[in-house]
Amino acid sequence: MVFQAAAWKTTNAAVVFQAAALLLGYPDRDWPRRPRTVRETVAELPGPEIQLLLSFCDRAEREDPLAVAARYVATFDRSRRRCLYLTYYTDGDTRRRGAALARIKSVYRTHGWLPPDDELPDFLPLMLEFAARTPEPGTALLTDHRAAIEVLRYALEAHRSPYAALLQAVCRCLPGQAPASREEALRLTRTGPPAEAVGLDAREPFPAQSRPRPNDEGARR
């Protein structure tokens, strides 16, 4: 019975990670089918993390796709407090960040997974997809960056963002003890992003993509 429970938890976590990866990606032309696909896939599964996914999908399916895209940009691209690039929370604008990104990429390569070249390896949806496809190393990688994930969760909750439900679902699936407070999560990320800038490639947490880029004023919020 213990083995069966553990197996269920592993399977459920992989489903949650894949669903969150889809729903945390930029809502482009295929967006309307993403929440619908997630809802149809997870609807019969048990667990509070599944209910969190379903609550997000129910809201997303009722909203205009253009409004969803605008909110995505306002939530993630215009505030460094809600950045989806996890090493930014632990290494910020320092030379250490390049090494941290290289370590993540090395884990991907070791397990035969090749993410797209136009995205940084610490992009949370990428890390979640990796964890869904390769649960043991992927979950370990997410756990290594749990403090950053929890800081993002707290920020989304404070922002009253519907995306907070997705982070809550992910955090419920991570092993071990969660930080007891936002302050503890921040402490675990080594007091937040340092300020030692080393050039555009290292300091820019928002790589060039097909979606709108944040302006300087918005990024300071």
Side-chain angles (χ1 to χ4, degrees):
M1 188 66 179
V2 173
F3 172 79
Q4 290 177 350
W8 170 83
K9 187 172 182 60
T10 300
T11 303
N12 226 42
V15 171
V16 170
F17 294 155
Q18 183 63 74
L22 287 172
L23 298 174
L24 283 168
Y26 179 72
D28 52 19
R29 291 182 180 179
D30 75 340
W31 171 255
R33 67 182 176 86
R34 276 191 258 166
R36 182 172 63 250
T37 298
V38 169
R39 178 174 50 77
E40 292 171 352
T41 301
V42 308
E44 301 302 319
L45 296 176
E49 62 275 16
I50 299 300
Q51 294 306 310
L52 288 165
L53 294 177
L54 290 173
S55 69
F56 179 89
C57 291
D58 288 344
R59 175 168 176 168
E61 288 183 282
R62 294 195 304 266
E63 291 186 311
D64 179 76
L66 292 178
V68 174
R71 184 176 61 216
Y72 185 97
V73 172
T75 300
F76 297 117
D77 288 352
R78 292 183 179 169
S79 174
R80 299 191 183 210
R81 293 176 182 271
R82 299 183 297 272
C83 178
L84 285 170
Y85 297 90
L86 296 186
T87 63
Y88 185 73
Y89 295 98
T90 53
D91 298 291
D93 297 335
T94 73
R95 293 174 177 83
R96 292 193 307 272
R97 190 172 182 221
L101 293 171
R103 284 193 296 271
I104 297 172
K105 189 174 290 188
S106 176
V107 174
Y108 292 160
R109 288 174 176 167
T110 297
H111 295 278
W113 197 71
L114 298 176
D117 292 333
D118 61 349
E119 189 58 88
L120 292 178
D122 65 338
F123 187 49
L124 179 56
L126 280 185
M127 296 178 72
L128 289 167
E129 185 173 352
F130 176 66
R133 292 170 182 262
T134 56
E136 186 173 346
T139 301
L141 189 61
L142 289 174
T143 304
D144 286 344
H145 294 83
R146 180 169 194 160
I149 295 172
E150 297 280 4
V151 168
L152 175 57
R153 175 179 66 83
Y154 278 114
L156 290 171
E157 290 172 352
H159 191 59
R160 300 181 182 275
S161 169
Y163 288 103
L166 302 181
L167 270 291
Q168 291 163 0
V170 167
C171 289
R172 281 180 173 272
C173 294
L174 297 178
Q177 187 69 32
S181 65
R182 175 180 177 274
E183 289 69 28
E184 182 181 350
L186 286 169
R187 178 177 60 79
L188 292 173
T189 60
R190 305 175 196 173
T191 70
E196 178 198 357
V198 293
L200 181 62
D201 289 343
R203 73 172 178 265
E204 178 54 59
F206 309 107
Q209 298 181 58
S210 59
R211 64 175 184 262
R213 296 286 299 276
N215 56 42
D216 291 339
E217 181 180 356
R220 290 194 292 269
R221 293 176 187 170

